[in-house]
Amino acid sequence: MGVVMVEGTNQGRVIATPVLWAAAALGLVGAALYNWWVVAAFTHILPTPNMLFSDLEVQGGQYSRLFNSLDFTASALFLVALLLVGARGRRTEWFTMLWFTAFGMTGAIFHYSCAEALSASCRSAEWHFQLPMTHYAHMLSGIGEFGAVILVVLMARRRHGDAASMWRRFNRVQVDLLIFALPLIAATYLLDRWEAAIEPILLVVAASQLLKSLLEPETPPGAEVGISLDLLQPRQRADH
């Protein structure tokens, strides 16, 4: 039993069942590690809801090495799982999810230099670009990480169109969560209030999209959707 390549520029691979199960297992373990916030949020580890979970990963913090390791391991598992299953007719979405894993690993390597939500001086220095470059590398990695997921969710929305399927309904829930969470995460960051109550929504959407990318059946040729300025419009791109 093995992985069989199928001819054609937009056709996916026929994935052997053991390979698919292995990828799904890696994805599930990665999703569990990626969502370490569940433990932090309901224990003394999280001192206040008025902070980002990245504040717990500040260099020298009590749990920073653990959380950085969990983030890196989760992203690495996601990467291996995506490589195992391949694009399967969704090349643009697949490559974008690979970028998601790269941003995740980068954010785990470069972490916050201080907890901006817990320190007014840190927040002031952050806004005045007075902190080490590693601090801003972590911020940009987080933006890239969630930006990649949002792009994939929107591309999937266009690709599904009006088709009646479980995957379309799943995608609609993701879109609704993003519509709810994105304005709030921006507001909570600017106001420095209740960031830990909203950020988990983005983490759940990211993990669920990774699992969807692994488990969703192959997309037929010609149904792939690319990145364009009208992602909110249900338009398909034929492959030539």
Side-chain angles (χ1 to χ4, degrees):
M1 299 178 67
V3 180
V4 180
M5 298 299 297
V6 179
E7 295 182 359
T9 58
N10 192 43
Q11 291 184 347
R13 299 181 299 175
V14 177
I15 307 298
T17 300
V19 175
L20 183 59
W21 278 106
L26 292 174
L28 286 172
V29 173
L33 299 180
Y34 186 77
N35 285 282
W36 56 259
W37 64 266
V38 175
V39 175
F42 294 100
T43 64
H44 68 281
I45 295 176
L46 186 71
T48 170
N50 300 325
M51 62 185 298
L52 291 167
F53 286 99
S54 289
D55 290 320
L56 296 175
E57 299 179 274
V58 171
Q59 187 173 11
Q62 183 178 4
Y63 301 99
S64 61
R65 182 171 297 181
L66 171 63
F67 293 150
N68 284 322
S69 298
L70 292 177
D71 281 343
F72 187 89
T73 303
S75 295
L77 291 175
F78 290 160
L79 174 61
V80 173
L82 287 168
L83 292 175
L84 280 176
V85 300
R88 291 186 294 173
R90 299 184 293 273
R91 290 173 302 175
T92 309
E93 294 178 33
W94 184 69
F95 277 119
T96 307
M97 288 304 295
L98 291 181
W99 277 108
F100 160 76
T101 65
F103 282 123
M105 287 187 283
T106 302
I109 295 172
F110 302 106
H111 38 74
Y112 273 4
S113 59
C114 59
E116 52 88 16
L118 304 178
S119 170
S121 61
C122 176
R123 190 170 183 85
S124 176
E126 178 184 273
W127 281 94
H128 289 87
F129 300 100
Q130 297 171 344
L131 297 177
M133 289 304 299
T134 54
H135 186 97
Y136 299 104
H138 181 92
M139 292 180 64
L140 292 175
S141 296
I143 294 172
E145 186 177 351
F146 291 122
V149 168
I150 291 169
L151 279 175
V152 173
V153 170
L154 293 179
M155 283 189 281
R157 178 185 183 271
R158 292 176 61 214
R159 173 168 55 80
H160 290 306
D162 296 327
S165 70
M166 174 187 70
W167 301 106
R168 177 182 179 274
R169 291 191 292 270
F170 189 89
N171 176 255
R172 288 304 307 172
V173 173
Q174 291 178 308
V175 172
D176 291 342
L177 286 174
L178 289 176
I179 291 173
F180 172 77
L182 289 177
L184 289 179
I185 195 65
T188 56
Y189 181 80
L190 293 174
L191 298 174
D192 202 21
R193 291 288 185 274
W194 292 99
E195 292 160 301
I198 305 300
E199 187 183 10
I201 298 177
L202 299 182
L203 296 170
V204 168
V205 170
S208 68
Q209 179 55 52
L210 185 281
L211 295 175
K212 180 176 181 288
S213 297
L214 297 176
L215 299 175
E216 186 176 357
E218 178 184 339
T219 296
E224 183 192 9
V225 169
I227 299 174
S228 67
L229 296 178
D230 60 341
L231 277 176
L232 294 179
Q233 300 299 321
R235 180 180 63 82
Q236 292 184 335
R237 185 189 70 191
D239 205 28
H240 299 290

